Amino acid sequence: MASTLFRHALFFIVAIFSRSWIARASDPNILSDFLAPESSNTPIDANFFTFTAMRSIFATNQNPANFTVTKASMKEFPALDGQSVSMAVLQFPADGVNPPHTHPRAAELLFVVEGSLEVGFVDTTSKLYSQQTLQTGDMFLFPKGLVHFQYNPSAEAQATAVSAFGSANAGTASLPANLFTAGIADAILAKAFKTDVATIQKIKAGLGAKA
């Protein structure tokens, strides 16, 4: 099964890098072939352009107990700086969800490599575009900056997907975390959601936020 995941992921990577939309991403253009870290005196060689942190994902059939994202963005893979591309592997246990969130600096192209997912996004007119039957080998586009989610509806099977972004630093703003764990006053949240402070505090407690 791991080899099948690898073949799917390899196909996806090749397809993504061949698409012109990545070349037209919003990251600033650079005036050199690549950007070397300013703080490093180590000579640049092929190791600088190599990222190995995802090997373990495809070397085992084990899936994390909770939804897990393994990123290859500019932070984790400095060679991406200035290249307008990054990736992530999303692992969903049975009934696992990636809560509503946005990527302010890039669109996301999701490719399912194992299992099935229910996905969707909401546009700026509050219209929901939802696909409930995304299967292995299917792709789905989340437009830049729009709220979206992914959910594994299976009660038994895990699911895995690979996401590509048109930015080396797409950014992620999780709606539950940003709203309820960032320190916004309970009274303000209660007014915004037309509820009471006690309900807001229960939500915060569920997210592990400080009261």
Side-chain angles (χ1 to χ4, degrees):
M1 192 273 291
S3 61
T4 301
L5 284 177
F6 176 78
R7 287 196 297 271
H8 282 311
L10 181 62
F11 165 79
F12 182 62
I13 292 169
V14 172
I16 289 303
F17 274 93
S18 69
R19 297 297 297 172
S20 62
W21 68 269
I22 284 189
R24 298 193 298 268
S26 60
D27 287 1
N29 289 327
I30 60 175
L31 301 178
S32 58
D33 295 332
F34 56 86
L35 298 177
E38 295 180 0
S39 59
S40 176
N41 295 321
T42 304
I44 299 297
D45 59 16
N47 290 324
F48 176 68
F49 302 98
T50 304
F51 187 74
T52 62
M54 294 183 181
R55 287 181 180 178
S56 60
I57 296 174
F58 299 99
T60 175
N61 292 340
Q62 298 299 316
N63 212 48
N66 301 307
F67 169 72
T68 301
V69 181
T70 305
K71 296 181 180 180
S73 67
M74 189 174 70
K75 179 180 178 181
E76 297 82 17
F77 191 10
L80 296 180
D81 190 9
Q83 301 301 320
S84 298
V85 64
S86 59
M87 300 187 71
V89 174
L90 315 179
Q91 295 174 275
F92 299 82
D95 196 38
V97 63
N98 186 4
H101 61 282
T102 69
H103 302 295
R105 292 182 287 274
E108 175 183 358
L109 186 58
L110 180 100
F111 179 58
V112 181
V113 298
E114 178 188 19
S116 62
L117 291 173
E118 178 179 341
V119 302
F121 68 86
V122 180
D123 70 10
T124 54
T125 68
S126 297
K127 180 178 180 179
L128 172 65
Y129 296 83
S130 180
Q131 176 57 262
Q132 299 181 346
T133 57
L134 209 60
Q135 303 295 316
T136 299
D138 293 345
M139 287 191 272
F140 193 87
L141 174 67
F142 302 105
K144 177 180 177 180
L146 297 185
V147 175
H148 60 281
F149 65 90
Q150 299 109 14
Y151 170 60
N152 177 12
S154 174
E156 299 178 354
Q158 64 189 38
T160 308
V162 179
S163 288
F165 303 93
S167 169
N169 184 23
T172 300
S174 171
L175 269 62
N178 281 21
L179 287 171
F180 295 103
T181 69
I184 300 174
D186 292 349
I188 293 175
L189 290 172
K191 287 181 180 295
F193 286 94
K194 301 185 185 308
T195 186
D196 53 55
V197 169
T199 299
I200 296 298
Q201 290 177 342
K202 287 182 180 179
I203 294 173
K204 284 187 172 183
L207 292 170
K210 295 181 180 180

